[in-house]
Amino acid sequence: MTDFAPYIERAEALGRRFALTARHYDQTGDFPFANFDALFEAGLLGLVTAPEHGGLGGGLTEALAVISAIARGEPSTALVLAMHYSQHYSIRVSGNWPAHLVARVTKANREGVALLNAAQVEPRVGSPSHGTLPETIARRVGNEWRITGHKTYATGIPLLKWVSILAVTDEPEPRLGTFLVPTNSPGIRVEKTWNATGMRATNSDDLILDDVAIPLEDTLELAPATKGLQRDERLGAWYFTLVPSIYDGAARGAKDWLIEFTTTRAPASLGAPLSTVPRIQDGLGQIEVYLTTNRRLLRSIAEDFDNGRPFGPDAAAVKHVVIENAILATTLALDLGGNPGISRDNPLERHHRDALSGKAHAPQNNLVRTILAKSVLARHAATPTETIEPVPVRATHPPRLVAVGSS
């Protein structure tokens, strides 16, 4: 059985190293290629890959620990890594990946930096979570699929070796499914569109596919398009846990800076460090409330998943709460940090921008609340009506019995 402690310690050390260059990647928008070389050398790209395919066989708990550690230093790197982990865990357990694709992808992952992510969002359609079929089309031509479409937010595209493309076939009875496309295929083009407030190093640019050819057998989960996109609800815990943990990591980075700043800054007018001021202590305490809540919530979903316990829509609620808490924590840190906090010479304003980016991930909070409302209403409708007898009301207390000889 693998001892994951050394790997988590490596991730924590790398998170601290990545923090030293995070400002550069934020300011330039460059992709952090060197970070992924370091992750590969540390043995972390295979964390959740099956042992029989050269991986460590880690679960969601281990993935959460690693992603949280990396995100504390450089959240953009953590997001790309989280997507890679989610794909590799799906390869390991879903049973939907053909054996030849499993062998191809895991072999590349053993031998070098060979990242994998999915591309599902489109300019007109948006996220498939809203229920609309993609406009990307796969045409069958002989023994190939020819894929044409436009995907947005292809996170990590500069370093992806493959992209799992969600598309609809042009058959008389269309099918919806995933097509594994090598990123060096003729007909693929990247449009530099990523210019977001935060998470700037993810390079989540647009991906254009113009008659891109792949073998017929390089597909998975092809099913009638009339059924819509079918998701494994339990595997959704990986997305609902790892994605918010990235923004929680950004908030922890903000807390780290704030603690260092307030314990070392001693204004002449105060004659003591800022950390001795009651308002600062109260604010730091509130930030710790937010982040302690986040840690407990994220860990609970990860442990429930790994132990096979049910969690239903709780995972979506955790995503909602954790990202909101991360934004609240970084906003409060900005308030406490004053002018130094908003200076681009310091990382606090970057941590805040990164945390704000968590709002972009589907499903948005209003949809999460709708999902939760429908779930509780469905449970209410399924609960048999129970007749409850009230406890009798007494106007006076019954007399107390006193044993003979007592006082």
Side-chain angles (χ1 to χ4, degrees), residues 58-381:
L60 184 50
T61 302
E62 290 76 34
L64 173 63
V66 169
I67 294 298
S68 296
I70 300 301
R72 197 163 186 163
E74 208 293 282
S76 291
T77 298
L79 180 59
V80 178
L81 182 61
M83 299 297 109
H84 181 73
Y85 281 169
S86 295
Q87 291 290 313
H88 270 264
Y89 191 81
S90 177
I91 290 172
R92 173 177 150 195
V93 303
S94 70
N96 295 323
W97 282 70
H100 72 283
L101 292 184
V102 173
R104 185 186 307 168
V105 171
T106 56
K107 179 176 185 291
N109 196 53
R110 289 194 302 273
E111 295 177 347
V113 180
L115 300 184
L116 172 64
N117 196 4
Q120 299 186 336
V121 182
E122 296 185 355
R124 282 174 20 94
V125 173
S127 169
S129 64
H130 299 304
T132 305
L133 291 175
E135 295 180 339
T136 300
I137 300 298
R139 297 182 301 110
R140 181 169 180 169
V141 180
N143 61 350
E144 294 179 330
W145 290 109
R146 297 291 184 117
I147 305 167
T148 298
H150 183 171
K151 299 294 185 181
T152 58
Y153 308 123
T155 296
I157 190 60
L159 197 51
L160 298 185
K161 189 174 180 64
W162 293 280
V163 184
S164 296
I165 298 291
L166 187 68
V168 176
T169 67
D170 71 340
E171 299 165 306
E173 295 185 2
R175 290 181 291 169
L176 173 68
T178 299
F179 300 77
L180 189 68
V181 178
T183 54
N184 62 355
S185 301
I188 279 188
R189 177 167 53 89
V190 175
E191 280 192 3
K192 295 293 293 181
T193 55
W194 184 243
N195 192 25
T197 297
M199 303 295 288
R200 293 181 54 77
T202 65
N203 282 225
S204 299
D205 295 311
D206 285 18
L207 188 65
I208 313 298
L209 301 99
D210 184 11
D211 207 33
V212 176
I214 66 167
L216 283 181
E217 62 270 19
D218 286 4
T219 62
L220 51 146
E221 299 177 315
L222 279 175
T226 53
K227 293 184 177 179
L229 181 61
Q230 304 296 306
R231 295 189 187 275
D232 185 319
E233 290 187 4
R234 279 195 63 82
L235 283 182
W238 280 69
Y239 175 83
F240 286 126
T241 303
L242 296 186
V243 164
S245 76
I246 291 156
Y247 304 100
D248 174 72
R252 292 180 188 279
K255 184 189 75 169
D256 292 343
W257 179 86
L258 186 62
I259 291 173
E260 178 66 18
F261 173 70
T262 58
T263 55
T264 57
R265 182 72 170 264
S269 59
L270 182 62
L274 288 171
S275 58
T276 63
V277 176
R279 184 179 78 86
I280 300 295
Q281 293 180 356
D282 180 72
L284 279 169
Q286 183 60 58
I287 289 171
E288 194 66 8
V289 168
Y290 292 138
L291 299 185
T292 298
T293 301
N294 283 0
R295 183 178 68 251
R296 290 288 183 173
L297 289 175
L298 290 168
R299 186 184 299 170
S300 70
I301 296 296
E303 291 177 352
D304 281 352
F305 179 88
D306 286 341
N307 288 288
R309 293 190 292 263
F311 47 81
D314 290 2
V318 166
K319 170 188 176 289
H320 185 312
V321 171
V322 168
I323 291 175
E324 287 300 307
N325 281 355
I327 293 170
L328 290 170
T330 56
T331 302
L332 180 52
L334 277 179
D335 182 49
L336 298 173
N339 279 332
I342 62 173
S343 171
R344 296 196 69 184
D345 291 333
N346 296 318
L348 183 54
E349 59 84 29
R350 168 168 49 84
H351 292 311
H352 180 60
R353 288 187 285 108
D354 285 340
L356 285 174
S357 301
K359 283 185 171 290
H361 290 280
Q364 274 71 39
N365 285 352
N366 65 307
L367 184 53
V368 170
R369 291 191 293 268
T370 299
I371 291 169
L372 295 171
K374 289 181 177 179
S375 175
V376 72
L377 290 171
R379 291 199 302 271
H380 174 76

